[in-house]
């Protein structure tokens, strides 16, 4: 298949459906019986169908930037009437948004492609894999759409449903930020501030896909922030391949952008900003300015700064463009200037040429700082990268080092000392156990609380009652008088979860040893293994009576017990959300209520028997 240049320089405004221009290069399926071997850009007569009536299955791999791209594609498809489904069997077309960082995620993509062909489902592949590996054999006969062409997804889907193969990969401008968007979590906006990066890491395939740095203007980003805040968003996640490099191509920088965004946040502190991953070289130039932003009440005191190795010789082989001393400067300065600062980092185990002494330096670095979050991954050689041609460390040794580092990390107790603390948290999600709500402190420590769903999207105060390895548990001590925009809270005890709660995209652990993490472009939260996408949003329901409240309590206790038993067989990298002590105080009340209901039922039955005509006779 050949690349087709998109030569359309100006198009219709967003939301206007036009036929796909002939210059895009539709490639009709070949007529095997006629043995047609030439390529044609003319459209064949489309099969009868009504655009916008089909169901689309979407699957996303990779970092938060990929997640944002999928939300934009889903928003455009929904705006044109397409239904988005998580069930591949009921869908009329599959859309896979891919990640090219590691072998496992690309292998998962290849498996899905094979399944779609076996199921005879039309397929569109988006994301970094087709953009960075255009001649990949698995993509033959499949429609593809590039990372900067997501605003054309409706056209690509429609032509694919007609039986055409479309390749849309080349473009010089960035997609608009004001396209329709369907968020996985309606309280969280993933805001891409730039694409590409200025680095040239020897192991990174993402640069091949996302390309050189391209930044959105400060004005366009602040406009987007104003819009999403008005729509009820309560967390804004800044996302890019390297946040620290923002603006170098357009004459601005990250501190200027951050201060502009902070000015757009509500003055009541109801919305928070989370700064995305930044590599050490660029943040070094703005450490004090970044620290000042991180101290702001509406900005999480949290930053993801990948180190990748504790050895300068390995960093040189990776072409990471900083030294361990410079990384220490970043960490030490932020810890000194930002109260409660939390820093996450990444480690690649077994990079080519890494000696036992190199790895020991990595171990010592992690021991020294005891980071609360460490993303641990084994080295994966990616085709076309310089590291793929380097002499590899044996796979046995790579796995051994990964296990050793994981064991060390799991020995830390990063949240010891928090028990009894009074913390302000911002609640945006429901945990995967469907029992706890998930909030975060100013330092982005994950707090699990049992509370009604109408607290989603609010800021509240909790007392930390117990501390786990991956999260802390809290108890509400302050209830907001109103929820943003639409709902009020009158009585916490009479509010129950609805039947199909939102599922959290908060990870089950802080360790990543799988294919969905992008070392070059990973964000801390949405790319971790085993995450569940969010649902459609909370419904405000009130039980209004004792029986409903009791039913809700039983369901939540039963769910807690089932998940606790199930968790015993899971790996230790799963979030430990089952703390039975949180519900023990309800045990006596449970039995009293049960006894009361049973007694009332028996009395009613007895009265009915005594008052019946047969008993009177």
């Amino acid at each position: 298949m050949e690349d087709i240049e998109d030569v359309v320089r100006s198009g219709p405004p967003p939301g206007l459906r036009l036929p796909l221009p002939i210059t895009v290069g539709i490639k009709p399926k070949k007529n095997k019986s006629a043995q047609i071997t030439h390529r044609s850009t003319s459209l064949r007569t489309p099969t009868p169908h009504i655009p916008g009536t089909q169901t689309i299955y979407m699957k996303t791999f990779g970092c938060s930037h990929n997640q944002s791209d999928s939300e934009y594609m889903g928003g455009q498809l929904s705006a044109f009437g397409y239904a988005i489904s998580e069930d591949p069997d009921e869908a009329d077309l599959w859309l896979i948004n891919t990640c090219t960082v590691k072998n496992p995620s690309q292998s998962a993509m290849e498996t899905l492609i094979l399944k779609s062909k076996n199921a005879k489902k039309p397929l569109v592949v988006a994301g970094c894999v087709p953009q960075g590996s255009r001649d990949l054999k698995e993509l033959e006969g499949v429609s593809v759409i590039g990372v900067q062409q997501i605003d054309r997804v409706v056209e690509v889907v429609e032509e694919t449903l007609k039986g055409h193969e479309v390749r849309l990969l080349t473009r010089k401008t960035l997609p608009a930020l004001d396209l329709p968007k369907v968020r996985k979590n309606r309280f969280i906006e993933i805001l891409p501030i730039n694409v590409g990066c200025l680095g040239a890491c020897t192991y990174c395939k993402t640069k091949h896909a996302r390309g050189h740095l391209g930044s959105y203007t400060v004005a366009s980003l602040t406009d987007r922030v104003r819009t999403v805040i008005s729509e009820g968003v309560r967390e804004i996640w800044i996302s890019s391949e390297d946040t620290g490099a923002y603006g170098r191509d357009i004459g601005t920088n990250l501190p200027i952008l951050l201060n502009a965004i902070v000015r757009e946040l509500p003055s009541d502190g109801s919305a928070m900003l989370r700064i995305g991953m930044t590599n050490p070289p660029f943040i070094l130039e703005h450490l004090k300015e970044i620290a000042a932003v991180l101290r702001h009440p509406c900005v999480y005191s949290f930053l993801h700064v990948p180190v990748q190795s504790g050895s300068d010789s390995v960093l040189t082989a990776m072409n990471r463009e900083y030294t361990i001393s410079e990384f220490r400067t970043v960490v030490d300065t932020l810890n000194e200037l930002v109260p409660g600062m939390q820093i996450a980092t990444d480690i690649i185990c077994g990079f080519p040429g890494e000696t036992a002494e190199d790895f020991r330096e990595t171990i010592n670095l992690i021991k020294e700082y005891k980071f609360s979050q460490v993303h641990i991954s084994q080295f994966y050689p990616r085709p076309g990268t310089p590291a793929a041609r380097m002499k590899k460390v044996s796979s046995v040794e790579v796995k051994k080092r990964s296990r050793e580092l994981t064991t060390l990390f799991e020995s830390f107790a990063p949240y010891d000392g928090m028990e009894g603390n009074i913390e302000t948290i911002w609640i945006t999600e429901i945990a995967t156990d469907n029992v706890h709500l998930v909030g975060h402190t100013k330092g982005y420590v994950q707090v699990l609380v049992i509370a009604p769903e109408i607290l989603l999207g609010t800021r509240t105060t909790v007392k930390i009652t117990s501390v786990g390895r991956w999260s802390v548990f809290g108890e509400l001590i302050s209830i907001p008088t109103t929820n943003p925009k639409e709902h009020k809270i009158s009585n916490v005890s009479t509010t129950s979860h609805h039947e199909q709660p939102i599922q959290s995209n908060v990870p089950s652990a802080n360790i990543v040893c799988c294919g969905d993490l992008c070392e070059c472009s990973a964000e801390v939260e949405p790319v971790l293994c085993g995450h569940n996408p969010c649902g459609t949003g909370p419904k405000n329901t009130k039980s209004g009576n004792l029986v409903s409240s009791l039913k809700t309590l039983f369901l939540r206790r039963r769910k807690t017990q089932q998940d606790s038993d199930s968790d015993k067989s899971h790996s230790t990298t799963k979030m430990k959300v089952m703390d039975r002590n949180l519900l023990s105080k309800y045990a006596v009340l449970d039995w009293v209520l049960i006894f009361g209901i049973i007694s009332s039922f028996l009395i009613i039955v007895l009265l009915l028997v005594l008052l019946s005509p047969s008993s009177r006779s």
Side-chain angles (χ1 to χ4, degrees), residues 183 186-188 226-235 270-271 457 484-486:
R183 300 183 191 93
R186 68 189 182 95
F187 296 110
I188 297 175
R226 279 194 295 273
T227 298
V228 301
I229 291 295
S230 69
E231 294 171 351
V233 163
R234 289 296 171 259
E235 277 189 12
S270 59
K485 302 275 182 197
E486 70 269 20

Side-chain angles (χ1 to χ4, degrees), residues 62 92 114 286 409 479 503 599-600 604:
D92 301 295
L114 181 61
H286 308 293
F409 171 67
I479 305 300
Q503 294 224 340
S599 299
S600 299
I604 291 172

Side-chain angles (χ1 to χ4, degrees), residues 33 132 145 269 298 352 567 571 591 604 612:
S33 61
I145 182 170
C298 293
D567 281 348
S571 77
W591 289 111
I604 291 172
S612 64

Side-chain angles (χ1 to χ4, degrees), residues 150-211:
I150 59 173
D151 55 350
R152 306 288 295 278
V153 66
V154 174
E155 300 167 64
V156 174
V157 164
E158 288 188 353
E159 295 303 326
T160 303
L161 285 168
K162 294 176 184 177
H164 300 148
E165 177 189 336
V166 184
R167 295 182 64 88
L168 209 56
L169 293 171
T170 306
R171 185 175 182 171
K172 304 299 182 183
T173 58
L174 300 176
L177 292 171
D178 58 355
L179 296 168
K181 194 172 191 179
V182 176
R183 300 183 191 93
K184 291 293 185 181
N185 184 325
R186 68 189 182 95
F187 296 110
I188 297 175
E189 167 73 6
I190 303 172
L191 181 66
I193 63 173
N194 56 260
V195 299
C197 68
L198 296 176
C201 300
T202 55
Y203 58 84
C204 183
K205 186 74 172 175
T206 305
K207 181 67 177 281
H208 296 186
R210 295 283 182 178

Side-chain angles (χ1 to χ4, degrees), residues 509-567:
N510 295 327
I511 302 177
V512 174
C513 300
C514 68
D516 285 357
L517 175 68
C518 173
E519 298 101 340
C520 185
S521 60
E523 298 293 341
V524 174
E525 292 293 335
V527 298
L528 297 179
C529 303
H531 74 275
N532 292 320
C534 299
T536 57
K539 298 176 181 177
N540 302 329
T541 59
K542 295 189 177 182
S543 58
N545 58 71
L546 179 63
V547 175
S548 180
S549 296
L550 185 62
K551 176 183 176 183
T552 299
L553 185 58
F554 266 121
L555 288 174
R556 294 175 71 167
R557 284 175 56 81
R558 183 173 62 184
K559 176 65 177 174
T560 303
Q561 181 63 48
Q562 290 173 345
D563 287 353
S564 179
D565 294 339
S566 176
D567 281 348

Side-chain angles (χ1 to χ4, degrees), residues 375-501:
H375 304 149
I376 302 169
S377 63
Q378 301 171 23
F379 171 73
Y380 291 94
R382 302 302 293 131
T385 62
R389 300 188 295 271
M390 298 178 182
K391 185 176 180 180
K392 299 176 182 59
V393 178
S394 73
S395 59
V396 173
E397 183 64 25
V398 172
K399 292 177 181 178
K400 177 183 175 183
R401 293 176 185 179
S402 176
R403 286 194 297 268
E404 181 179 350
L405 187 57
T406 299
T407 301
L408 170 66
F409 171 67
E410 290 182 341
S411 71
F412 299 158
Y415 307 128
D416 277 3
M418 287 189 68
E419 189 169 350
N421 287 2
I422 305 300
E423 300 281 352
T424 298
I425 64 170
W426 288 261
I427 301 176
T428 55
E429 300 162 291
I430 294 180
T432 52
D433 68 342
N434 291 333
V435 173
H436 296 83
L437 299 188
V438 179
H440 291 91
T441 67
K442 175 71 163 61
Y444 211 69
V445 176
Q446 184 170 271
V447 181
L448 302 175
V449 295
I450 294 181
E453 287 183 21
I454 55 174
L455 287 185
L456 287 167
T458 67
R459 179 187 62 175
T460 189
T461 305
V462 299
K463 179 179 181 180
I464 304 303
T465 56
S466 62
V467 175
R469 176 58 186 85
W470 317 110
S471 310
V472 301
F473 299 87
E475 184 177 77
L476 293 175
I477 61 173
S478 171
I479 305 300
T481 56
T482 60
N483 236 11
K485 302 275 182 197
E486 70 269 20
H487 31 254
K488 295 185 179 180
I489 302 169
S490 58
N491 190 331
V492 175
S493 64
T494 61
T495 306
S496 63
H497 286 295
H498 59 78
E499 292 297 322
Q500 294 180 333

Side-chain angles (χ1 to χ4, degrees), residues 13 16 48 91 100 105 147 196 224 231 239 246 250 283 317 378 383 462 499 510 609:
L16 178 63
T100 190
S105 56
V147 294
R224 180 65 181 172
E231 294 171 351
S239 176
Y246 169 80
I250 58 174
I283 195 177
Q378 301 171 23
V462 299
E499 292 297 322
N510 295 327
V609 171

